[in-house]
């Protein structure tokens, strides 16, 4: 579980707190540190939960996070939501995760707050859920809401992933009007922050506009930084452009690609 890099109405309905197995004393639930109990402060519970998670004791981590979350600890809510979203230590439950993310989002965040990262990540998670919906739940596809959430995170917090996803929605007309120029603006901002996906799509757009060498260079550079889940579609874009480019443009692109991540414009 990683700490975030920077992240609406709805009240969380936490699951019943059934933490103590039959025949186990309530005070014996926390084994890593006997000094931590359900009555401990929220930050102590959060630290215990994180330590338990890192040690592979995920049931104890969930327990600690739940107690801390009930005491208003945002980081614990975020960690618990992630575990539900991923089915990590609990049965996967996207609707339960959605409710917790919505609670974090509904609280807002003060400028400079240490909870800003959790708030932003909650907004991103909600945007993803609205974009796809959650089958069998009240959460239906709402592309306009997803686009608005991405815009909020992209514009207010400058998060590259939000800028990238917003641009993709603008390019396809999801949740609003199609706007290639606005999409290019957001892609350019995200790729300047080193976002590989934004770099690949931005490169493809300018390649299609006639900037063959520069566009191919961006797509080639993106392949060096892509995550395993994204490399395939980026490679397809790059290979298609490479097959259409002239030999001269290919040579120029290959020479430019290593310097792309250091170019501000």
């Amino acid at each position: 579980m990683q700490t975030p890099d920077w992240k609406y109405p709805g009240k969380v309905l936490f699951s019943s707190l059934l933490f103590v197995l039959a025949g186990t004393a309530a005070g014996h639930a926390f084994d890593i540190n006997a000094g931590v109990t359900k009555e401990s402060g929220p930050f102590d519970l959060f630290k215990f939960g994180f330590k338990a998670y890192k040690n592979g004791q995920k049931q104890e981590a969930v327990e600690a996070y739940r107690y801390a979350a009930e005491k208003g600890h945002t980081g614990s809510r975020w960690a618990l939501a992630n575990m539900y979203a991923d089915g990590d230590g609990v049965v996967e439950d996207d609707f339960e995760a959605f409710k917790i993310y919505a609670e974090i989002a509904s609280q807002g965040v003060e400028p400079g707050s240490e909870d800003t990262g959790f708030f932003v990540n909650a907004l991103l998670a909600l945007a993803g859920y609205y974009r796809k919906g959650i089958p069998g739940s009240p959460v239906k596809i709402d592309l306009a809401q997803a686009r608005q959430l991405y815009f909020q995170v992209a514009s207010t917090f400058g998060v590259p992933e939000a800028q990238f996803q917003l641009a993709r929605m603008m390019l396809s007309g999801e949740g609003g009007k199609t706007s290639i120029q606005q999409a290019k603006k957001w892609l350019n901002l995200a790729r300047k922050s080193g976002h590989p996906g934004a770099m690949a799509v931005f490169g493809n757009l300018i390649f299609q506009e006639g900037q063959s060498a520069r566009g191919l260079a961006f797509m080639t550079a993106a392949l060096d930084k892509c995550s395993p889940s994204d490399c395939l579609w980026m490679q397809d874009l790059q290979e298609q452009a490479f097959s259409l480019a002239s030999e001269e443009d290919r040579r120029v692109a290959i020479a430019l690609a290593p310097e792309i991540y250091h170019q501000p414009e």
Side-chain angles (χ1 to χ4, degrees):
M1 187 178 303
Q2 297 179 342
T3 303
D5 294 329
W6 47 90
K7 335 178 139 358
Y8 309 80
K11 183 177 181 181
V12 176
L13 303 176
F14 287 103
S15 300
S16 300
L17 301 178
L18 301 176
F19 302 124
V20 184
L21 297 176
T24 302
H28 193 65
F30 297 108
D31 295 328
I32 294 178
N33 183 345
V36 178
T37 70
K38 64 181 181 180
E39 285 80 24
S40 297
F43 187 64
D44 287 335
L45 285 163
F46 173 72
K47 289 192 297 182
F48 172 85
F50 183 77
K51 184 176 180 181
Y53 183 91
K54 297 296 284 186
N55 288 347
Q57 295 170 290
K58 294 183 180 180
Q59 183 177 354
E60 292 189 353
V62 169
E63 180 179 355
Y65 286 147
R66 280 175 171 159
Y67 281 128
E70 285 207 325
K71 296 181 181 186
H73 190 266
T74 303
S76 294
R77 285 176 173 162
W78 175 79
L80 189 60
N82 289 348
M83 293 181 81
Y84 274 114
D86 298 334
D88 186 12
V90 293
V91 176
E92 184 175 343
D93 189 335
D94 283 318
F95 185 48
E96 188 67 21
F98 175 90
K99 290 186 290 184
I100 302 174
Y101 288 130
E103 173 68 13
I104 296 172
S106 70
Q107 291 179 334
V109 67
E110 295 293 330
S113 169
E114 61 183 12
D115 289 338
T116 298
F118 303 124
F119 173 74
V120 168
N121 275 276
L123 295 182
L124 286 174
L126 290 173
Y129 281 130
Y130 280 122
R131 199 170 183 182
K132 297 180 179 179
I134 302 176
S137 84
V139 182
K140 307 305 180 186
I141 293 175
D142 188 339
L143 296 179
Q145 178 76 327
R147 184 159 165 168
Q148 178 57 38
L149 287 169
Y150 283 135
F151 178 80
Q152 180 182 353
V153 178
S155 59
T156 304
F157 300 97
V159 178
E161 178 64 15
Q163 294 168 342
F164 173 60
Q165 296 298 341
L166 176 61
R168 289 180 62 191
M169 295 190 80
M170 288 179 167
L171 287 173
S172 61
E174 290 181 271
K177 295 180 179 179
T178 299
S179 177
I180 294 177
Q181 290 307 311
Q182 282 296 308
K184 280 179 63 179
K185 181 191 92 170
W186 292 112
L187 289 170
N188 199 32
L189 287 172
R191 71 90 186 163
K192 288 180 181 179
S193 297
H195 192 290
M199 189 169 295
V201 177
F202 180 80
N204 185 55
L205 286 176
I206 65 174
F207 180 88
Q208 293 180 37
E209 292 174 349
Q211 299 183 56
S212 301
R214 187 163 175 259
L216 184 56
F218 278 121
M219 286 183 274
T220 302
L223 290 177
D224 290 334
K225 302 289 184 178
C226 61
S227 63
S229 61
D230 289 327
C231 282
L232 185 58
W233 68 262
M234 292 188 199
Q235 185 174 352
D236 287 344
L237 280 183
Q238 193 269 354
E239 289 180 350
Q240 183 178 16
F242 195 83
S243 68
L244 296 173
S246 67
E247 186 61 34
E248 175 63 20
D249 285 339
R250 293 175 185 174
R251 286 197 295 267
V252 172
I254 292 172
L256 285 176
E259 304 300 322
I260 287 294
Y261 278 92
H262 306 292
Q263 295 178 0
E265 298 299 335

